[in-house]
Amino acid sequence: MFTLAEVASLSDIQPTYRILKPWWDVFMDYLAVVMLMVAIFAGTMQLTKDQVVCLPVLQSTVNSRVQPDTAGKADFTTVETTTGQEEESMRTVSFAPTVTPDILLSRATPSQYQPTESDQELKKEQKDSSGRKTNLDFQQYVFINQMCYHLALPWYSKYFPYLVLIHTIILIVSSNFWFKYPKTCSKIEHFVSILGKCFESPWTTKALSETACEDSEENKQRLTGAQSLPKYVSTSSDEGSPSASTPMITKSGFKFSADKPMIEIPSVTILDKKDGEQAKALFEKVRKFRAHVEDSDLIYKLYVGQTVIKTVKFIFILCYTANFVNTISFEHICNPKVEHLIGYTQFECTHNMAYMLKKLLISYISLICVYGFICLYTLFWLFRIPLKEYSFEKVREESSFSDIPDVKNDFAFLLHMVDQYDQLYSKRFGVFLSEVSENKLRGISLNHEWTYEKLRQHVSRNAQDKQELHLFMLSGVPDAVFDLTDLDVLKLELIPEAKITAKISQMTNLQELHLYHCPAKVEQTAFSFLRDHLRCLHVKFTDVAEIPAWVYLLKTLRELYLIGNLNSENNKMIGLESLRELRHLKILHVKSNLTKIPPNITDVAPHLTKLVIHNDGTKLVVLNSLKKMTNVAELELQNCELERIPHAIFSLSNLQELDLKSNSIRTIEEIISFQHLKRLTCLKLWHNKIVSIPSSITHIKNLESLYLSNNKLETLPAAVFSLQKLRCLDVSYNSIAVIPVEIGLLQNLQHFHITGNKVDILPKQLFKCVKLRTLSLGQNCITSIPDKVSQLLQLTYLELKGNCLDRLPATLGQCQLLRKSGLVVEDHLFDTLPSEVKEVLNQDTGIPFANGI
């Protein structure tokens, strides 16, 4: 037999699960405990006191009921009729009934016997004694009681406690199975753990307390902000809200957003760092749990299934139990068919537990009925509303967190169950589903971590000698950034929730902003400042939708760099349609995967001076839009898989520099058309597949720089050396074997690069280019350097490494501007120079190095 503690443990669940136990589950648990008590009580009574007492039904008793006036005679008749049977039983049973003297006299002389006076007195004594003798000993009574207990009693009377116990255990298991099933238990444990931490988190209390006092404190805070903030901060509702045409940060949906430029009470904003880290971890846990649980509805289905099982069980118990109420009786007739052992065929028995069992059965049926009605109510609740959907509408209205999303499936069902316990849990839990709440927490934690002193340590000077700050992978932009008023360049990278507040107006020196995968939002006042002061903007993105819309409204912007995917199949060039508002844009740099020049780039054609299209290897097919870019002075089409020089370029009358780097150009016969571009001074055709230079290149009279490195040239035509204005010539990494003697005609040549070719002899005419400042001769087959190198008095850079030299000419010391830092040669060759030459080369003149590339 189970103890009460052992049976009760079946319904024991972790105390933390109580928040998922609605009132009907709790009530049913108590009913199950009462039913357990009924089962245990009935079982105990049955084991200790349950018994049946039986007495044989005498034949004389039956006859006396028929003839009550001849009772005395009936006794003798009964004995006489049963004499033969008794004699037979005496022969078979050793403990046959004892025969009285009356019976013996009647057997001997039934007709002549005359009772004497002593016999009459004996009969009178027997008549005065109560009861009837059955002639059964104690063992026979024990035997017949046990026989009749099993034969006469209804089976339900004997097994009632066990049936109640089994049914109750099944109901208990059905009620708590969803807490034990492995696939649901883990989710429930995780949910309860997170819910408890969210309920007790200081951040929850802070967020809800701010919301509660927002309406009453709004005016007071606004006045406080107006008195304490500088003049550039707008405190009016019109100035703080974006206009219809300007996509700024909106304040609808939440009132205590960081977008509202106001000073908050320090006691409200201060949050312990440890509590802040725990709250951030909770946000991440809630996000992952939601993604995991919303995918299925197993918990909901399991709960519905166990409720249906309990309802079916209730109907089953009620149907068969009600039929047995009337079968439980105190008196029973028993016919054990053991006449050969007892001598009687029928017995009348009494069941001493009958009344108690009947009362317990009625009580059990009453409990089951109540239990069943609760099950029916549970089913009604389960199907009355869609429990696989949960709306935080009420929470959004009360807490002003308008962005709390609705949830579905098991997540929604668990929240519905929690609401039956206490709706405050869901309200506090909703705080951790709000992105607004998370962003505010991040902002507070960020400002605690990134103080003004720490940011000042990260400020550096870039190549342009400007003060630059680069922030990488932060949760937002620290407020202290806007206190760095002397900052020139601000770089924000991988900051998805970047917000530029009105305090940026303090940064009067800021002219360059970098947004790398950072779709920053700005307040209206901040936008007004950027619109009037920002000169250079770099935007790097993955999808065109990441480009902030306010970028296209910066009317004073001079330089715009866009790096990312613009050739989207669904949104072709969608991000560039508003360039017409950039009225002062001079430089547009697009690094993308374009297949054609976007027609809307022509919106900035009247004032655009430099256009850079840097593709990722995608072939640029349509370039007709270039014809309208008449004012472009610099054009770069890099890595666009061009096979010829586009004809649209020849219409750019103001073009001064053309860069067609990293394409697939094989022939440049169209170069003759460049003669119409009178202002063209720089032509870069490097990193292509050009095999020859046409003689028509001589028509480009004003060409000053020609870059043909990394091609397949084998010779340099004399026409190249007729370009008298040429100052820079780069033919590195080709297959040129000979430097023509006509190179001496280039009297204005300052930079000559022929590294990585097959040159073995340097013509003396090369050293007539006395204006040479940079001479790159590395990685060739040169065996000696002529002494006339001393004529290059302006030489500052000489590369000789990777040749077949065995010594260096001592005349290098006469190159007054050449120093060891500008001499690229093997160390053993440098050691061949005389000591006085080495001393001259080791002197530091402070002349900056320039290679002309």
Side-chain angles (χ1 to χ4, degrees):
M1 189 66 180
F2 297 107
T3 64
L4 179 60
E6 292 173 341
V7 176
S9 65
L10 296 174
S11 62
D12 183 30
I13 59 173
Q14 296 183 15
T16 53
Y17 286 176
R18 66 182 183 274
I19 60 176
L20 294 177
K21 301 282 284 186
W23 68 266
W24 53 82
D25 277 352
V26 176
F27 197 18
M28 284 191 286
D29 285 346
Y30 281 116
L31 289 176
V33 172
V34 175
M35 286 188 282
L36 274 178
M37 297 296 293
V38 170
I40 295 173
F41 177 71
T44 303
M45 294 293 292
Q46 188 179 52
L47 291 175
T48 58
K49 296 184 178 181
D50 191 25
Q51 63 181 352
V52 172
V53 177
C54 298
L55 291 176
V57 178
L58 302 177
Q59 191 66 28
S60 62
T61 305
V62 178
N63 295 336
S64 65
R65 292 173 185 172
V66 180
Q67 299 174 350
D69 57 334
T70 58
K73 297 180 180 180
D75 292 343
F76 290 101
T77 306
T78 303
V79 174
E80 291 175 358
T81 56
T82 60
T83 302
Q85 298 175 357
E86 291 174 355
E87 289 176 353
E88 182 180 357
S89 62
M90 289 175 63
R91 290 193 296 267
T92 58
V93 182
S94 61
F95 48 83
T98 305
V99 181
T100 62
D102 295 340
I103 297 176
L104 294 175
L105 291 174
S106 63
R107 288 178 180 174
T109 56
S111 57
Q112 291 92 6
Y113 177 72
Q114 299 293 331
T116 63
E117 182 177 353
S118 61
D119 294 335
Q120 291 178 357
E121 291 177 358
L122 180 61
K123 289 181 181 180
K124 185 176 180 180
E125 292 177 1
Q126 291 177 354
K127 182 177 181 180
D128 293 339
S129 61
S130 60
R132 294 180 178 274
K133 292 185 177 181
T134 60
N135 300 313
L136 296 177
D137 61 14
F138 177 75
Q139 294 296 331
Q140 289 175 314
Y141 277 117
V142 173
F143 175 76
I144 199 62
N145 289 345
Q146 294 178 355
M147 287 291 296
C148 290
Y149 181 83
H150 294 284
L151 296 177
L153 288 185
W155 69 271
Y156 194 78
S157 299
K158 295 179 288 185
Y159 301 107
F160 166 72
Y162 307 105
L163 292 174
V164 174
L165 179 62
I166 293 173
H167 293 325
T168 305
I169 292 175
I170 293 175
L171 293 176
I172 291 175
V173 171
S174 299
S175 294
N176 300 289
F177 184 70
W178 67 314
F179 293 124
K180 304 295 184 180
Y181 185 59
K183 291 186 178 181
T184 58
C185 177
S186 59
K187 295 180 181 179
I188 293 174
E189 287 180 357
H190 197 186
F191 174 75
V192 172
S193 174
I194 293 176
L195 189 63
K197 293 178 181 178
C198 292
F199 188 84
E200 298 173 357
S201 173
W203 173 248
T204 312
T205 305
K206 170 181 167 52
L208 293 178
S209 61
E210 285 188 355
T211 301
C213 66
E214 182 66 25
D215 293 335
S216 60
E217 295 292 333
E218 185 175 4
N219 294 331
K220 181 178 178 181
Q221 289 178 351
R222 183 175 299 170
L223 292 175
T224 305
Q227 295 174 1
S228 58
L229 286 180
K231 294 182 179 180
Y232 58 80
V233 178
S234 172
T235 57
S236 64
S237 58
D238 294 337
E239 191 176 60
S241 302
S243 62
S245 60
T246 306
M248 301 299 134
I249 296 176
T250 60
K251 298 187 178 67
S252 60
F254 56 95
K255 298 181 179 179
F256 64 90
S257 170
D259 303 336
K260 181 179 294 185
M262 62 175 62
I263 297 297
E264 298 182 5
I265 303 174
S267 61
V268 175
T269 58
I270 293 177
L271 186 69
D272 183 76
K273 183 177 181 181
K274 181 179 180 181
D275 294 335
E277 293 298 326
Q278 291 176 350
K280 287 194 292 185
L282 277 178
F283 274 106
E284 186 65 24
K285 287 182 178 180
V286 169
R287 188 181 299 109
K288 292 182 178 180
F289 178 77
R290 179 188 174 193
H292 176 60
V293 176
E294 274 193 319
D295 292 339
S296 66
D297 57 351
L298 178 61
I299 298 178
Y300 171 76
K301 290 181 179 178
L302 190 60
Y303 188 83
V304 172
Q306 69 183 29
T307 305
V308 171
I309 291 174
K310 290 189 292 184
T311 306
V312 173
K313 187 72 176 175
F314 145 70
I315 297 174
F316 171 72
I317 294 173
L318 189 63
C319 289
Y320 87 86
T321 303
N323 297 328
F324 292 106
V325 175
N326 295 326
T327 61
I328 299 178
S329 176
F330 180 74
E331 296 181 359
H332 299 275
I333 299 299
C334 177
N335 298 298
K337 296 182 181 181
V338 289
E339 183 181 356
H340 62 286
L341 298 176
I342 304 301
Y344 297 94
T345 59
Q346 190 176 50
F347 294 85
E348 186 168 350
C349 306
T350 60
H351 186 201
N352 66 331
M353 285 290 294
Y355 293 115
M356 180 62 70
L357 287 179
K358 194 166 187 177
K359 293 178 180 178
L360 291 176
L361 178 58
I362 294 174
S363 301
Y364 177 67
I365 293 176
S366 302
L367 294 173
I368 282 294
C369 289
V370 176
Y371 195 96
F373 288 135
I374 296 176
C375 289
L376 293 175
Y377 174 82
T378 305
L379 289 177
F380 168 74
W381 180 80
L382 287 172
F383 297 108
R384 179 175 59 91
I385 57 176
L387 296 181
K388 292 197 293 184
E389 298 176 2
Y390 188 91
S391 176
F392 284 96
E393 183 64 29
K394 186 176 180 181
V395 180
R396 288 193 289 261
E397 293 176 357
E398 294 179 355
S399 64
S400 299
F401 291 113
S402 61
D403 67 323
I404 299 179
D406 295 337
V407 296
K408 58 183 180 179
N409 289 337
D410 283 343
F411 199 7
F413 176 69
L414 290 173
L415 290 174
H416 279 293
M417 297 294 285
V418 170
D419 279 350
Q420 299 301 315
Y421 181 80
D422 190 348
Q423 293 185 354
L424 184 59
Y425 277 90
S426 298
K427 183 177 180 180
R428 286 177 168 261
F429 192 76
V431 173
F432 288 89
L433 290 172
S434 170
E435 291 186 5
V436 174
S437 175
E438 184 176 9
N439 293 338
K440 184 171 179 64
L441 172 65
R442 289 175 178 175
I444 293 176
S445 301
L446 187 68
N447 292 330
H448 280 312
E449 180 181 0
W450 290 89
T451 60
Y452 176 85
E453 292 75 14
K454 184 175 181 179
L455 289 170
R456 175 58 68 180
Q457 295 175 359
H458 285 75
V459 175
S460 61
R461 289 196 172 272
N462 60 14
Q464 291 77 31
D465 197 32
K466 295 182 178 180
Q467 292 197 47
E468 176 182 297
L469 175 63
H470 187 186
L471 299 179
F472 178 72
M473 289 188 69
L474 299 182
S475 59
V477 180
D479 291 342
V481 169
F482 306 117
D483 295 330
L484 302 172
T485 55
D486 56 345
L487 202 63
D488 299 308
V489 181
L490 177 59
K491 293 184 177 181
L492 306 177
E493 184 172 1
L494 291 174
I495 305 179
E497 299 296 333
K499 294 180 181 178
I500 301 176
T501 65
K503 291 182 66 178
I504 198 174
S505 303
Q506 299 177 148
M507 306 175 69
T508 54
N509 290 340
L510 184 65
Q511 294 188 351
E512 184 174 342
L513 179 63
H514 295 246
L515 301 176
Y516 294 161
H517 301 286
C518 179
K521 299 178 182 179
V522 298
E523 293 180 2
Q524 180 65 33
T525 306
F527 168 73
S528 300
F529 172 80
L530 294 175
R531 182 186 59 195
D532 297 334
H533 292 80
L534 198 61
R535 297 293 180 266
C536 180
L537 178 62
H538 295 248
V539 182
K540 189 174 183 179
F541 51 91
T542 302
D543 187 79
V544 67
E546 297 178 15
I547 303 177
W550 53 266
V551 167
Y552 305 102
L553 304 175
L554 301 174
K555 62 181 182 181
T556 60
L557 195 65
R558 303 289 182 85
E559 302 178 22
L560 178 60
Y561 297 80
L562 300 177
I563 306 174
N565 183 9
L566 286 176
N567 193 26
S568 174
E569 296 181 359
N570 298 326
N571 301 315
K572 292 186 177 180
M573 319 310 168
I574 189 173
L576 302 179
E577 59 186 5
S578 301
L579 290 181
R580 63 177 66 93
E581 300 293 334
L582 306 179
R583 301 171 185 173
H584 294 85
L585 191 65
K586 300 295 183 181
I587 299 175
L588 177 60
H589 188 290
V590 180
K591 186 175 182 181
S592 185
N593 56 344
L594 301 175
T595 57
K596 64 178 181 179
I597 301 295
N600 40 24
I601 287 184
T602 58
D603 295 336
V604 293
H607 42 80
L608 195 65
T609 59
K610 182 177 181 180
L611 175 63
V612 178
I613 304 295
H614 190 177
N615 260 9
D616 59 354
T618 304
K619 188 171 184 180
L620 190 61
V621 180
V622 182
L623 298 97
N624 294 331
S625 299
L626 287 177
K627 295 180 179 180
K628 299 180 181 180
M629 314 292 291
T630 54
N631 291 324
V632 170
E634 298 181 33
L635 176 63
E636 295 183 17
L637 302 177
Q638 297 186 17
N639 204 19
C640 297
E641 287 297 315
L642 299 175
E643 297 180 356
R644 303 180 73 90
I645 299 176
H647 290 278
I649 295 176
F650 304 138
S651 302
L652 306 179
S653 57
N654 291 313
L655 190 64
Q656 298 178 16
E657 180 177 332
L658 176 63
D659 188 349
L660 299 179
K661 181 181 178 181
S662 300
N663 285 282
S664 300
I665 300 175
R666 297 179 180 274
T667 177
I668 54 174
E669 296 297 332
E670 303 90 345
I671 202 171
I672 191 173
S673 299
F674 283 135
Q675 62 182 327
H676 303 294
L677 306 181
K678 302 299 183 180
R679 299 186 179 183
L680 185 64
T681 58
C682 180
L683 180 60
K684 297 180 179 180
L685 299 173
W686 46 357
H687 296 269
N688 279 281
K689 300 177 182 179
I690 301 171
V691 295
S692 63
I693 302 174
S695 58
S696 57
I697 195 173
T698 188
H699 294 92
I700 313 177
K701 300 295 185 179
N702 296 320
L703 197 62
E704 296 180 2
S705 301
L706 179 61
Y707 294 84
L708 292 167
S709 62
N710 295 90
N711 279 282
K712 297 182 179 181
L713 299 175
E714 295 182 355
T715 60
L716 290 175
V720 174
F721 307 106
S722 64
L723 302 174
Q724 294 299 319
K725 294 185 178 181
L726 199 64
R727 294 189 303 164
C728 178
L729 177 61
D730 185 359
V731 290
S732 302
Y733 301 102
N734 283 279
S735 300
I736 300 172
V738 177
I739 300 177
V741 295
E742 289 83 358
I743 194 172
L745 300 176
L746 300 178
Q747 291 300 310
N748 292 313
L749 190 64
Q750 297 180 13
H751 308 280
F752 180 50
H753 305 276
I754 196 168
T755 302
N757 282 275
K758 301 178 181 180
V759 177
D760 55 354
I761 298 177
L762 296 178
K764 296 180 180 180
Q765 288 79 2
L766 173 63
F767 303 103
K768 292 182 179 181
C769 303
V770 293
K771 294 184 179 181
L772 273 175
R773 300 179 59 191
T774 303
L775 180 59
S776 300
L777 303 172
Q779 300 179 35
N780 279 280
C781 303
I782 301 172
T783 56
S784 64
I785 304 296
D787 292 338
K788 290 188 176 183
V789 70
S790 60
Q791 299 178 9
L792 306 179
L793 299 179
Q794 298 185 22
L795 191 67
T796 59
Y797 180 83
L798 177 61
E799 180 188 356
L800 297 173
K801 194 172 185 178
N803 283 281
C804 302
L805 299 172
D806 54 1
R807 67 180 183 86
L808 295 177
T811 55
L812 280 177
Q814 300 178 21
C815 298
Q816 300 175 1
L817 301 180
L818 184 64
R819 293 293 176 265
K820 184 178 180 180
S821 60
L823 179 61
V824 181
V825 68
E826 289 84 352
D827 291 338
H828 71 276
L829 290 178
F830 183 80
D831 293 337
T832 61
L833 291 171
S835 58
E836 60 274 11
V837 175
K838 287 193 271 185
E839 291 179 1
V840 172
L841 294 177
N842 285 325
Q843 292 179 0
D844 186 8
T845 61
I847 297 178
F849 161 71
N851 59 10
I853 297 181

